[in-house]
Amino acid sequence: MAETIFQKIIRKEISADIVYEDDEILAFKDIHPIAPVHMLIIPKKPIESIEKMENEDAFLVGKMVRVARDIARDLKISEKGYKLLIRVGEEGGQEIPHLHLHLLGGAKLSEDIHPV
Ligand code: 5GP
């Protein structure tokens, strides 16, 4: 798998506004937010996408969801709710081939998903 910008962020070669880090997971603000709260939660392990995850990665992917939930709680957006989004592949709109979970919230967000 080719090196992505997210691996450079993990290695701190490129700066990001990090909101959570442990030995397996990094979470940081999206550089082009589409909502008042827009975080990316990524595994440090370079999994290309949900399509490429192995059975052994299931716990890690679950942990990404838990970290997103905990960030939402910390930011006090849990009560009103938020969206979690994972894009997969070209038609899914995935731009960076390193698995990432979007945490989107802080406002009521559109449901506008339609074929282009
Ligand atoms: P995707 O479209 O692959 O689901 O989402 C990729 C996301 O990564 C986009 O929302 C984009 O704004 C974000 N992104 C791309 N490059 C950078 C970067 O260098 N830093 C940060 N913080 N976010 C980035």
Side-chain angles (χ1 to χ4, degrees), residues 8-43:
K8 293 193 169 92
I9 289 173
I10 290 166
R11 292 202 304 266
K12 312 281 166 62
E13 289 171 17
I14 289 179
S15 70
D17 203 340
I18 293 170
V19 295
Y20 176 86
E21 180 166 20
D22 65 26
D23 55 344
E24 294 178 309
I25 290 189
L26 190 70
F28 49 94
K29 292 185 183 175
D30 195 291
I31 201 165
H32 295 127
I34 59 167
V37 172
H38 188 173
M39 304 293 174
L40 299 172
I41 296 92
I42 69 172

Side-chain angles (χ1 to χ4, degrees), residues 1-12 18-28 40-48 57 60-61 63-64 67 97-101:
M1 167 182 153
E3 170 100 347
T4 70
I5 199 147
F6 287 173
Q7 281 151 275
K8 293 193 169 92
I9 289 173
I10 290 166
R11 292 202 304 266
K12 312 281 166 62
I18 293 170
V19 295
Y20 176 86
E21 180 166 20
D22 65 26
D23 55 344
E24 294 178 309
I25 290 189
L26 190 70
F28 49 94
L40 299 172
I41 296 92
I42 69 172
K44 290 187 174 176
K45 179 179 176 182
I47 302 167
E48 198 172 309
D57 298 322
L60 180 60
V61 175
K63 188 175 170 186
M64 290 165 60
V67 167
H98 183 126
L99 176 62
H100 49 285
L101 173 64

Side-chain angles (χ1 to χ4, degrees), residues 62-75:
K63 188 175 170 186
M64 290 165 60
V65 174
R66 182 172 59 76
V67 167
R69 181 204 64 186
D70 290 348
I71 293 169
R73 287 181 179 173
D74 287 348
L75 295 176

